[in-house]
Amino acid sequence: MSDKDDSSKLAIMVGVVVLAAALAIYLMLPLAAGFIDTHFSPGLGMKNAAVIAFFVTVVVLVVFAVAAGDGLLGELQYMLSGFLGFFLVLWLMIAWIF
């Protein structure tokens, strides 16, 4: 009986968390729309796109390096060439799209 009780309590807690997250997203939509109108309507340009692309590339490659198991220094020569290629593609695509 205690397993069923624990399962039902867990299901109720997960449901409450999902409802709270849905409510938070619903309440943040006007704020997010205002942010998007303010910051993305004039366009980013090459300079701002380069900054965004740099940080996105660093985060993605650090996650890839840690997930690979060798750490950050295991395959550094491949990481640097991958960084350059990924950065260039992201930079130009962000500047083009936004």
Side-chain angles (χ1 to χ4, degrees), residues 29-43 98:
L29 284 177
L31 180 64
F35 178 80
I36 290 170
D37 286 341
T38 303
H39 292 289
F40 290 120
S41 61
F98 293 110

Side-chain angles (χ1 to χ4, degrees), residues 23-65:
L23 180 64
I25 290 171
Y26 176 72
L27 293 175
M28 284 185 56
L29 284 177
L31 180 64
F35 178 80
I36 290 170
D37 286 341
T38 303
H39 292 289
F40 290 120
S41 61
L44 283 174
M46 295 296 280
K47 185 177 180 181
N48 291 332
V51 173
I52 293 169
F54 175 78
F55 285 110
V56 169
T57 304
V58 167
V59 168
V60 168
L61 290 180
V62 166
V63 169
F64 284 170

Side-chain angles (χ1 to χ4, degrees), residues 68-92:
D70 289 336
L72 292 175
L73 299 176
E75 299 177 5
L76 189 60
Q77 66 274 19
Y78 303 113
M79 294 291 289
L80 290 176
S81 62
F83 175 83
L84 178 65
F86 196 60
F87 172 74
L88 288 175
V89 168
L90 274 179
W91 179 23
L92 297 176

